[in-house]
Amino acid sequence: MTRLSEIQNHIASMDELLEIVGAMRSLAGIRVQEAQHALPGIRSYADSMAAGIGSALLLMPQPVPETHQELSRRALILCAAEHGFVGGFNERMLETAEAILEPADLLFVLGSRGAALAFERGRKVAWTRPMATRPSGAPDAVNHLTSEIYGRIARGEIVRVDVMFGRYRQGAASTIERRLLLPLDTATLVAKPARQVPLHNLPPRPLLEKLMAEYVFALLTEAAVESIASENAARFAAMESAHDNVSKKLAGLQENARQARQTEITSELLDLITGAEAMHVDSRRVIRSSKAP
């Protein structure tokens, strides 16, 4: 195989790679937009549940007492990436989590890649589950998570729950945020100014518990969807960089192909000229031989 043929085969491979990278970049961009479109509705639902809690607190004969227990038995929920090609996204998330984790804390990880990285670093993971890849899958992942959390709370294994996630910022780097989920700070949720006691069909305490559960569910769903947006923003940036690198290499290969093609053309011309001169010399010899006595 000639050098030109080898270069052309390499160019064909790079063209395919460029298409794959471009498709992954486009898909990541679509996922970011999906998450951004879903977040306002999720936040609106969380606000509605917060307002409902504030109203339900008016039904209680006295303020719900806040639980002040040791903070060592804490669960930290880490929202990490489910798939690869996200640069240092998982590393940054895990490093930030490790900076605040105490020896007795439990680490819960949403995201297979984040859990795998934690295991590689020797960090014990109490519970893990794949992160949703689209906003529509976030509620299912959160349902499994809350079932595990509430079960451990009922068994007295944890008394505090925090969630850590990446928040996407358009035109800027994603930030890492930590939010206290449980126990709820009911003081900030009390209706201000105090409104009329609402009408209700459930007893006050079960009603309040259901509203709190829905509020926590909404906050966790928001964190998961924010993480989906951040993960795909990181993937988009990685694919953008890869696309630029592949494009540069492809341009270099195309230039090499032009040079190789020119070299082959030059070589063929030289062969033609050399052959023509040889034929001219042979013809002169034949003429001289025919004229000889």
Side-chain angles (χ1 to χ4, degrees):
M1 183 180 291
T2 65
R3 181 171 180 270
L4 178 58
S5 298
E6 292 176 354
I7 295 174
Q8 288 174 335
N9 289 337
H10 200 178
I11 287 174
S13 299
M14 295 298 283
D15 278 331
E16 293 178 1
L17 179 59
L18 194 64
E19 290 180 2
I20 294 171
V21 170
M24 292 179 66
R25 181 183 60 177
S26 299
L27 183 60
I30 292 171
R31 294 289 181 262
V32 171
Q33 293 299 318
E34 286 180 348
Q36 289 297 290
H37 290 157
L39 282 169
I42 297 170
R43 291 172 182 147
S44 178
Y45 183 71
D47 291 342
S48 298
M49 292 302 102
I53 292 171
S55 298
L57 287 170
L58 300 175
L59 301 171
M60 305 301 293
Q62 59 184 8
V64 178
E66 295 186 7
T67 305
H68 297 284
Q69 301 185 41
E70 53 186 308
L71 298 182
S72 58
R73 288 183 294 166
R74 171 179 59 179
L76 176 63
I77 301 168
L78 183 65
C79 296
E82 178 59 25
H83 300 299
F85 303 107
V86 291
F89 177 79
N90 290 312
E91 286 78 3
R92 291 192 298 272
M93 294 297 301
L94 190 58
E95 287 170 1
T96 305
E98 288 178 331
I100 65 170
L101 282 170
E102 299 293 336
D105 291 343
L106 300 180
L107 179 62
F108 291 67
V109 181
L110 279 175
S112 301
R113 295 292 178 131
L117 181 61
F119 287 127
E120 288 175 8
R121 294 191 174 193
R123 170 63 63 176
K124 184 178 179 181
V125 177
W127 180 91
T128 183
R129 186 170 179 83
M131 170 59 82
T133 56
R134 302 184 67 174
S136 58
D140 182 63
V142 171
N143 274 327
H144 286 88
L145 174 59
T146 52
S147 296
E148 182 70 18
I149 289 292
Y150 292 144
R152 290 179 180 261
I153 291 175
R155 295 191 295 271
E157 297 179 19
I158 53 178
V159 296
R160 174 188 171 105
V161 181
D162 292 1
V163 61
M164 182 176 289
F165 59 94
R167 186 181 293 276
Y168 170 68
R169 303 288 187 186
Q170 187 171 3
S174 298
T175 59
I176 298 176
E177 297 191 11
R178 177 164 61 109
R179 174 183 289 171
L180 173 65
L181 289 176
L182 295 169
L184 286 179
D185 184 4
T186 55
T188 62
L189 298 175
V190 175
K192 296 178 181 179
R195 299 191 296 270
Q196 185 178 359
V197 176
L199 297 175
H200 59 95
N201 296 319
L202 292 176
R205 184 164 292 278
L207 173 62
L208 184 59
E209 290 174 354
K210 288 181 178 294
L211 288 171
M212 287 182 171
E214 284 299 308
Y215 182 56
V216 171
F217 177 85
L219 294 180
L220 278 172
T221 302
E222 179 188 356
V225 175
E226 283 279 11
S227 182
I228 292 171
S230 297
E231 173 187 344
N232 281 282
R235 184 173 295 110
F236 183 91
M239 292 300 100
E240 182 76 9
S241 178
H243 192 276
D244 291 343
N245 290 334
V246 173
S247 296
K248 290 177 182 178
K249 290 182 179 180
L250 184 58
L253 285 171
Q254 290 170 341
E255 179 61 28
N256 291 339
R258 284 192 290 271
Q259 293 177 358
R261 188 178 297 108
Q262 187 61 47
T263 299
E264 286 193 359
I265 292 172
T266 302
S267 177
E268 290 175 0
L269 288 174
L270 289 175
D271 289 344
L272 288 173
I273 293 172
T274 302
E277 290 181 348
M279 291 178 62
H280 181 65
V281 170
D282 289 342
S283 62
R284 290 178 63 183
R285 288 177 179 173
V286 170
I287 292 173
R288 288 176 181 173
S289 298
S290 63
K291 290 181 177 180

